Amino acid sequence: MTVIDISLSVMQFLLAFIVVGPLLGAVAALLPAPPGLKGRNPDQAVLRHGVTVTGAVLIAAIVLAVGFDHDHPATMQATTDISWIPALDVRIHLGIDGISLPLLVLTALLTFLCALYSYFKPPAGPSPKAFVALVLVLESGTLATFAVLDLLLFFLAFEMVLIPMYFLINRWGGDQRQAAAWKFILYTLLGSVVMLLGLLLVGLKSGTFDMVALATDNGRGLTTSVQVIAVLAIGIGLAVKTPMWPLHSWLPDAHTAAPTVGSVLLAGVLLKMGTYGFVRILLPAAPDGMRTFAPYLAAFAVVGIVYGSLACLALARTGAKGDLKRLIAYSSVGHMGFVLLGIATMTPTGVNGALFANIAHGLITGLLFFLVGAVKDRYGTADLDTLAGATGAALYGRAPRLGALLAFAAVASLGLPGLAGFWGEMLTLFGAYSPAEGLSRPAFRTFMAIGAFGTLLTAAYMLIVVRRVCMGEHTLSARTTPDTSAPSALSAPSIPSAPSAAPASDASQAPATPGTPQTPAATTAPAASPTPGTLQAPTTPGAPQAPPAPQLADVQPYEAAAWTPLVALTVLAGLWPAVLLGLTDPAVQKLLSGGKS
């Protein structure tokens, strides 16, 4: 079934435009603007150019999805196959199926929302001209990763995103941005070198770099030893990008230092490239090698789930001075652990759960980083202890719509039924309960139990974040600190002092003894009433009262425009999962069955 009938040539053009269009837009962003398009503000003009290009790519992606044949999602559609390097049989081979289409649309959507957000709130740093060009190159590389069907082209697209993200962190990031950018580039480049060796091994031993032909062959042209070596080499490179524990340590630093837009794109689309490679390349092309490493992959996945959750709990506790962006980054380690666990089961249920969790994580964590960036802009910090201070600083009282959105994203992230985060986690756990033939069922059921425990830890730290940031908290000392200025019943009797010469009108300013009733002085001025919507911290008798916290700017129209699609899709995917599963399931069934529908 197709919503509208679009010819093959138009579909091919749309897919080619989606891949190449952002690259052309990046070149145009660096060129001098034509006189009629400069406008009064050249910086705003180039930011508007970014919105225009990403918007055109998003429209093309939506039209492509509408013209996609939903009755045959396992078939590669909108394919282009042109010889590029005949000596190596490398071809410009593009195509989409039910696995790649959702990731393609997600990437186009998130990049457009980032460009729209940046137009109204440009990141602090150098000229936006380079910023827009880097974002567009990043989009082109990510879209190409999900659209190409040749191993060497996949590697080139996979590497294409590294340099733009490095500069986005290094030039427009926050504190420690240079160290974080170097850590990001070194980890991913070292992983990529190993991955390239594995891709060359598969291509040379099988006689083709075509991913469709490799999936159809289903590993029959590769010996088991070659498959094991290929899975180890390629898997390391993919695991770094995912990231899988213990190759994850670059991620929290990169997220903490990156600008808001960089964090959204890093979590929303770049992390998906690694897990997509597992599904698109390793599962169909090297099934025996995957079966050998599947228990180890699952073990690392569940360790990542628990480790990420415990790290978040440590950051969320009072007095830890935890950074909210860093906490969300560690939560990504746990969520991507569920994706890897689903892939490791090698079952249609588990792999579908992994693909669903990929999309859900992109929507929810992208929204979370948008919200955390907005909170940091308003408070000037993402420190949890500062955000949750006992000064009436809770979001519900100062910016209720922003607080409500943050609470929504948090409960979606913890896997609340009815929202997108629920189905991916449940399907991966179901897949682990009954893994593929040849895998140890007791081991995977143990992994399932550990993963289920991880969902409880996820709920714990997310609810702590909501309680502290949205509701605020009052420190125990503010309630129980004794008034040292008042005499205690256990203290030695004091010698009465001489009468004070202070005027009677100042008597109301003296601290009162706890438990002693006060008679209001006739000359005492009435207390100022609190500002509506602010939260008042309980005061210790005799202690000076803190001034009420000022109101914050609530959700702005441009923020609502950037965040509403993510909220709507999170609800839609949670209430109607068949829309996404109907696309992925036939394609997954075909991949796991050796290219047979």
Side-chain angles (χ1 to χ4, degrees), residues 241-531:
K241 187 67 72 70
T242 298
M244 180 186 76
W245 181 92
L247 303 173
H248 70 284
S249 60
W250 62 269
L251 182 69
D253 293 339
H255 269 310
T256 305
T260 297
V261 167
S263 293
V264 172
L265 293 176
L266 182 58
V269 295
L270 262 68
L271 301 190
K272 312 301 172 283
M273 295 164 63
T275 51
Y276 174 79
F278 275 104
V279 175
R280 176 65 72 195
I281 299 173
L282 293 184
L283 275 178
D288 294 336
M290 275 296 294
R291 196 169 288 108
T292 300
F293 283 105
Y296 304 101
L297 180 63
F300 284 128
V302 296
V303 170
I305 293 171
V306 175
Y307 171 83
S309 299
L310 292 177
C312 291
L313 283 171
L315 289 170
R317 75 178 191 275
T318 304
K321 306 299 289 182
D323 187 282
L324 188 53
K325 285 188 74 176
R326 195 173 189 87
L327 184 147
I328 303 302
Y330 272 110
S331 76
S332 292
V333 176
H335 288 304
M336 298 311 290
F338 280 102
V339 178
L340 291 172
L341 177 61
I343 294 170
T345 66
M346 299 183 68
T347 62
T349 302
V351 176
N352 276 305
L355 294 172
F356 198 104
N358 249 350
I359 301 297
H361 179 264
L363 295 172
I364 297 168
T365 308
L367 177 61
L368 275 171
F369 276 116
F370 267 133
L371 294 169
V372 173
V375 170
K376 188 174 181 179
D377 290 337
R378 286 158 171 79
Y379 283 92
T381 181
D383 177 71
L384 274 166
D385 289 333
T386 303
L387 298 178
T391 57
L395 277 179
Y396 284 163
R398 301 184 65 184
R401 293 181 182 85
L402 184 59
L405 280 173
L406 183 60
F408 168 84
V411 297
S413 182
L414 63 84
L416 185 72
L419 298 176
F422 172 76
W423 295 106
E425 294 181 2
M426 286 298 100
L427 289 172
T428 58
L429 294 178
F430 287 153
Y433 182 80
S434 182
E437 185 178 352
L439 299 178
S440 171
R441 184 164 293 188
F444 271 84
R445 288 186 177 178
T446 302
F447 298 146
M448 181 196 73
I450 298 173
F453 176 67
T455 62
L456 300 179
L457 295 177
T458 303
Y461 71 73
M462 278 299 180
L463 292 177
I464 289 173
V465 168
V466 170
R467 177 179 62 80
R468 298 191 67 202
V469 178
C470 295
M471 302 178 185
E473 64 184 10
H474 303 297
T475 57
L476 189 62
S477 60
R479 300 183 181 186
T480 60
T481 302
D483 183 5
T484 56
S485 65
S488 170
L490 299 179
S491 62
S494 60
I495 299 173
S497 60
S500 173
S505 61
D506 292 337
S508 61
Q509 306 301 323
T513 304
T516 304
Q518 283 188 282
T519 303
T523 57
T524 303
S529 57
T531 304

Side-chain angles (χ1 to χ4, degrees), residues 192-217:
S192 298
V193 169
V194 182
M195 184 177 75
L196 176 60
L197 296 176
L199 293 174
L200 290 174
L201 177 65
V202 170
L204 295 175
K205 289 292 185 180
S206 63
T208 180
F209 289 96
D210 187 84
M211 293 157 66
V212 176
L214 289 169
T216 304
D217 188 63

